[in-house]
Amino acid sequence: EAGVAQSPRYKIIEKRQSVAFWCNPISGHATLYWYQQILGQGPKLLIQFQNNGVVDDSQLPKDRFSAERLKGVDSTLKIQPAKLEDSAVYLCASSFSDMDDFYGYTFGSGTRLTVV
Amino acid sequence: QKEVEQNSGPLSVPEGAIASLNCTYSDRGSQSFFWYRQYSGKSPELIMFIYSNGDKEDGRFTAQLNKASQYVSLLIRDSQPSDSATYLCAVWGNNDMRFGAGTRLTVKP
């Protein structure tokens, strides 16, 4: 089966600009996650979707970050305005259902964001 | 605050040796435990999971879980230079997955 697709692979923007990332999960996977991984740290969950509903967005900085998953398939994550500390890799993952967390899930290749 | 702790390393072992990676967690309600491998510049890749006390073997990899001690480990036998990567421990419970910061492993030829 095709994996989790993400784009772009790399993005460089200036602080205060906006940026958007796209994710297409594995076909049929109901649950989609966005993670932020800062260099030298483990991934941190930003938001979890079940179909097109939000399950957990407690760690999403809502003053600047937003995410949507229209039609319960692909998803976009937006940052506006970006700050220097947003420089990180943004990882998308998906699973068939949230119970699949019991067995782990698959990450996409990630988008490396550099804010200058 | 649910914490997952790992030694950051680097851990260096010679080729053919056993590499031992350790992880502790704070949430006693945690149910499943995962090891991900992450090569530099790549995304994490699931290599093993375990949810029962004891050992679970898969090829050269063995995961060990001790829930009483809140401790999970990964042993890599016959380590190869291609095993050089960062190993992330992840803990799942109550629909919440938490990652450690990872241990960097270097296998020297």
Side-chain angles (χ1 to χ4, degrees):
Chain A
E1 61 181 2
V4 177
Q6 288 190 249
S7 66
R9 285 299 309 276
Y10 306 93
K11 192 73 176 178
I12 300 174
I13 62 171
E14 295 183 349
K15 59 184 179 183
R16 292 187 290 274
Q17 285 187 325
S18 62
V19 64
F21 313 127
W22 174 83
C23 173
N24 187 259
I26 292 172
S27 178
H29 280 196
T31 310
L32 184 148
Y33 314 80
W34 283 103
Y35 278 84
Q36 179 193 58
Q37 187 175 24
I38 293 172
L39 187 65
Q41 299 182 17
K44 183 185 83 170
L45 180 69
L46 293 176
I47 189 167
Q48 177 183 342
F49 291 96
Q50 178 76 13
N51 296 308
N52 60 350
V54 176
V55 173
D56 182 0
D57 64 355
S58 58
Q59 298 190 84
L60 187 74
K62 298 180 184 65
D63 58 334
R64 298 184 301 107
F65 285 64
S66 64
E68 61 182 10
R69 190 183 184 198
L70 300 177
K71 300 180 182 179
V73 182
D74 55 354
S75 175
T76 56
L77 176 70
K78 297 179 182 178
I79 307 175
Q80 182 179 12
K83 293 185 174 181
L84 297 176
E85 58 260 36
D86 298 331
S87 295
V89 175
Y90 291 84
L91 295 163
C92 180
S94 71
S95 64
F96 180 71
S97 73
D98 56 0
M99 283 306 294
D100 270 12
D101 286 353
F102 192 78
Y103 306 107
Y105 39 75
T106 304
F107 286 96
S109 56
T111 297
R112 183 177 299 275
L113 174 67
T114 302
V115 182
V116 298
Chain B
Q1 182 75 7
K2 301 173 185 176
E3 301 289 344
V4 180
E5 301 288 342
Q6 296 181 254
N7 289 326
S8 61
L11 172 66
S12 182
V13 300
E15 183 175 356
I18 296 175
S20 178
L21 305 161
N22 305 313
C23 173
T24 59
Y25 59 95
S26 63
D27 183 9
R28 285 194 171 275
S30 300
Q31 297 168 268
S32 301
F33 308 86
F34 303 86
W35 284 99
Y36 285 83
R37 177 176 60 201
Q38 187 170 29
Y39 291 114
S40 181
K42 301 294 185 181
S43 60
E45 171 193 11
L46 179 65
I47 53 174
M48 285 201 73
F49 69 89
I50 186 169
Y51 50 87
S52 298
N53 277 328
D55 296 358
K56 179 181 179 181
E57 187 174 319
D58 184 0
R60 296 187 296 112
F61 298 95
T62 298
Q64 299 175 318
L65 174 62
N66 184 326
K67 289 187 178 181
S69 301
Q70 295 175 245
Y71 175 91
V72 59
S73 66
L74 179 70
L75 301 178
I76 306 174
R77 290 182 301 280
D78 188 25
S79 295
Q80 302 297 308
S82 58
D83 294 326
S84 297
T86 295
Y87 289 80
L88 299 167
C89 173
V91 174
W92 182 80
N94 296 318
N95 200 33
D96 180 35
M97 182 86 87
R98 298 273 173 159
F99 286 83
T103 298
R104 186 156 58 92
L105 171 67
T106 300
V107 180
K108 296 187 175 181

